[in-house]
Amino acid sequence: MNTGMNWAAFSSTEPDLAKTVEARFLAFTHHVLATLRKDGSPRTTGLEVRFLDGELWLGMMPDSLKALDLRRDPRFALQANPGEGQSMGGGDVRIAGRAIEVTDPGTKAAYAEEVKPPEPFHLFRTELTEVVRTYVEDEKYLVLQVWKPGQPLRTIKRT
C-alpha cells in the first residue's frame, strides 16, 4: 500500500505537475468528490477544495454524508471540474488518497480565518496516493501522467 504524501511533499517531488493540477482546481470553484458509502458503493458529491499552508484541504458541512463516509473510510477520489465545452485547459485532473479529519481547534481556526466557511464544519487534510493528468497532445496523442508516492512520474502516450 502506498504511503500518502501531503500537497507540499507532492509539490516538491513533482513541481510542474503540481502547478498544473493546482491551476486546474483553481480554475473553478466546484469539483466532484467520490467517497464510499456504508455498503461500499461509491457516492459522488460536489465540493470546494483549498490549497493552503502546503495542504490540500476538504471542508464540509456538519454531518454531511460525504464527511460521515470519510470518517468511516478515509479513501477518496477527487475530480477537477472540467469547465464548459471540451477544451479542459490543462487537461483532466484526478487526485486519489486518504482524508484525515482535523479536530485541532487551532488548525480549524486558522483555516476558518482564511476561508471563512459556514460554521460549524468538518475539515479534512489529504494524503495523496495518486495524481493523474490526462490531456491531448498535438491533436494526435492521448497523454496520461501518473504519479504515485515513491515512484517516478510515468508518462503514457496513446494514439
Side-chain angles (χ1 to χ4, degrees):
M1 182 168 170
N2 287 328
T3 303
M5 279 189 184
N6 76 352
W7 187 256
F10 165 66
S11 294
S12 67
T13 303
E14 290 296 337
D16 293 339
L17 180 57
K19 284 179 194 165
T20 300
V21 169
E22 192 167 340
R24 284 291 296 118
F25 277 99
L26 293 175
F28 298 95
T29 303
H30 296 96
H31 308 285
V32 178
L33 177 72
T35 58
L36 295 169
R37 301 172 190 252
K38 282 183 201 176
D39 67 3
S41 64
R43 178 191 318 272
T44 59
T45 53
L47 181 77
E48 294 179 28
V49 302
R50 294 285 195 267
F51 297 88
L52 294 171
D53 301 322
E55 300 285 356
L56 169 58
W57 300 98
L58 312 176
M60 298 167 203
M61 292 174 46
D63 298 324
S64 64
L65 293 176
K66 59 190 158 195
L68 298 176
D69 286 347
L70 290 173
R71 281 180 159 178
R72 189 176 44 260
D73 186 328
R75 294 177 292 172
F76 74 90
L78 182 63
Q79 176 96 28
N81 185 328
E84 295 181 27
Q86 298 178 1
S87 64
M88 279 197 293
D92 178 51
V93 173
R94 300 180 305 279
I95 296 172
R98 288 181 296 281
I100 294 85
E101 188 165 17
V102 175
T103 56
D104 174 66
T107 303
K108 285 187 80 172
Y111 178 88
E113 177 140 344
E114 181 73 28
V115 177
K116 304 198 180 352
E119 300 225 21
F121 63 95
H122 293 287
L123 181 62
F124 295 85
R125 67 174 187 80
T126 59
E127 291 183 351
L128 312 180
T129 57
E130 183 178 62
V131 176
V132 178
R133 175 183 177 220
T134 306
Y135 63 98
V136 176
E137 184 179 280
D138 298 331
E139 297 182 21
K140 182 178 179 182
Y141 300 103
L142 181 67
V143 181
L144 287 103
Q145 292 178 295
V146 181
W147 172 87
K148 293 182 181 183
Q151 298 179 17
L153 179 64
R154 289 185 319 142
T155 301
I156 303 156
K157 280 188 179 184
R158 297 182 182 151
T159 54

